[in-house]
Amino acid sequence: MVEKVNSKEQLNICLDIIHNGFITVADEFGLTKNNCPNHTAFMSIEKLKKQYENGTDMFMYNHNGAYVGYFSLSDNGECVELNNLSVLPEYRHLGIGKEMVEYAKDYAINNTNAKRITIGIIEDNTVLKNWYEMLGFIHKGTKQFDSLPFTVGFMELPL
């Protein structure tokens, strides 16, 4: 069940899910604090607190009393950006990620004026790209950032 984060006290739980959910991706693609300090696997609590204070909508997934998933939504007017969607490795392949994306879509439709949800992923992560495409996301292009050792792929889900 998806629950909205409603206090700063919950941010340490969120950060733990983010770190543990994204470290598998960092390991798979050889990302470290040295070669990619801004990767989500190495996010600081200060960055998460700043997002919370700036009004980013944050959500956790409660599975039988344990928080095992996380994502956030940033309303940018015409689009909502879906960020940091992660599920703890031991809870993957149970449909939790899909349920969180469906919740994000419903939330965006009912609480914003957005026409689409956008995401950015590691372009070479074909398993993740295929998963998002299965959920209705459309690949919109790529961009190489000087600060990242990988190409970012952009996808969107029409609302």
Side-chain angles (χ1 to χ4, degrees):
M1 168 175 49
V2 176
E3 299 176 12
K4 191 165 185 185
V5 174
N6 56 24
S7 74
K8 279 188 182 179
E9 288 72 35
Q10 293 177 298
L11 295 181
N12 284 323
I13 299 168
C14 298
L15 191 63
D16 187 56
I17 295 168
I18 292 167
H19 284 166
N20 288 304
F22 276 91
I23 196 65
T24 58
V25 175
D27 290 345
E28 180 180 350
F29 289 94
L31 306 176
T32 66
K33 283 187 181 182
N34 290 332
N35 69 10
C36 194
N38 293 325
H39 187 266
T40 311
F42 315 116
M43 180 187 285
S44 69
I45 189 67
E46 292 78 21
K47 182 175 181 179
L48 198 62
K49 283 180 182 175
K50 186 174 182 179
Q51 290 174 359
Y52 182 84
E53 291 164 358
N54 288 337
T56 298
D57 290 317
M58 300 176 167
F59 304 87
M60 290 190 292
Y61 190 93
N62 186 326
H63 179 75
N64 296 328
Y67 290 111
V68 302
Y70 172 85
F71 68 94
S72 67
L73 296 172
S74 300
D75 185 354
N76 298 324
E78 180 133 334
C79 70
V80 169
E81 189 173 339
L82 173 62
N83 290 301
N84 306 327
L85 186 127
S86 55
V87 176
L88 294 176
E90 60 270 30
Y91 291 93
R92 291 179 182 161
H93 309 291
L94 299 176
I96 292 170
K98 180 181 178 186
E99 192 174 334
M100 290 193 300
V101 169
E102 289 171 358
Y103 187 95
K105 181 180 176 182
D106 290 343
Y107 187 88
I109 289 169
N110 293 313
N111 296 283
T112 75
N113 294 317
K115 305 284 187 253
R116 64 191 182 280
I117 295 176
T118 61
I119 59 169
I121 64 169
I122 295 175
E123 178 66 15
D124 290 339
N125 192 338
T126 54
V127 171
L128 186 62
K129 188 190 322 181
N130 292 340
W131 182 77
Y132 275 115
E133 286 176 342
M134 180 195 69
L135 296 176
F137 281 78
I138 301 162
H139 190 264
K140 299 303 278 188
T142 63
K143 185 171 181 182
Q144 181 66 52
F145 294 90
D146 291 339
S147 61
L148 298 174
F150 55 84
T151 301
V152 176
F154 295 99
M155 302 181 81
E156 66 179 42
L157 177 67
L159 297 177

